[in-house]
Amino acid sequence: MQRPKDLFQFLSAHGWVYSWQGSGYIAYQSKLQSGLLEYKTTEVYRSDGSEKISTQVRVTPKGLTRLAREAWPH
């Protein structure tokens, strides 16, 4: 089992994502276009009634397959 922190450090080191001014990770466009990564967008309602849009990078099943081959080549 891989900790999310370790996974995103691996993704960053291998050119899948990068960190942008403390706002979390951003996926490289090539990884999005090839279907390896995607974004999940969620509306979060704060206690004061305001809304915030939260975006997270997610690895797709196709991406997991590619990662398995890159991280543990045969």
Side-chain angles (χ1 to χ4, degrees), residues 16 36 59-70:
W16 287 51
L36 302 174
V59 181
T60 66
K62 182 178 177 181
L64 288 174
T65 301
R66 175 81 58 87
L67 283 172
R69 280 188 276 156
E70 286 185 13

Side-chain angles (χ1 to χ4, degrees), residues 2-70:
Q2 188 81 1
R3 293 184 316 168
K5 180 180 179 179
D6 295 336
L7 173 61
F8 276 88
Q9 286 177 344
F10 178 89
L11 293 175
S12 182
H14 290 84
W16 287 51
V17 298
Y18 61 96
S19 182
W20 180 254
Q21 299 178 353
S23 64
Y25 288 98
I26 308 290
Y28 281 103
Q29 190 65 34
S30 62
K31 302 303 183 195
L32 292 169
Q33 289 176 332
S34 60
L36 302 174
L37 298 175
E38 65 185 7
Y39 281 109
K40 178 183 177 189
T41 303
T42 306
E43 289 182 57
V44 178
Y45 296 95
R46 298 178 177 151
S47 59
D48 65 1
S50 64
E51 295 179 43
K52 175 185 174 185
I53 302 297
S54 174
T55 305
Q56 295 176 309
V57 175
R58 297 289 176 109
V59 181
T60 66
K62 182 178 177 181
L64 288 174
T65 301
R66 175 81 58 87
L67 283 172
R69 280 188 276 156
E70 286 185 13

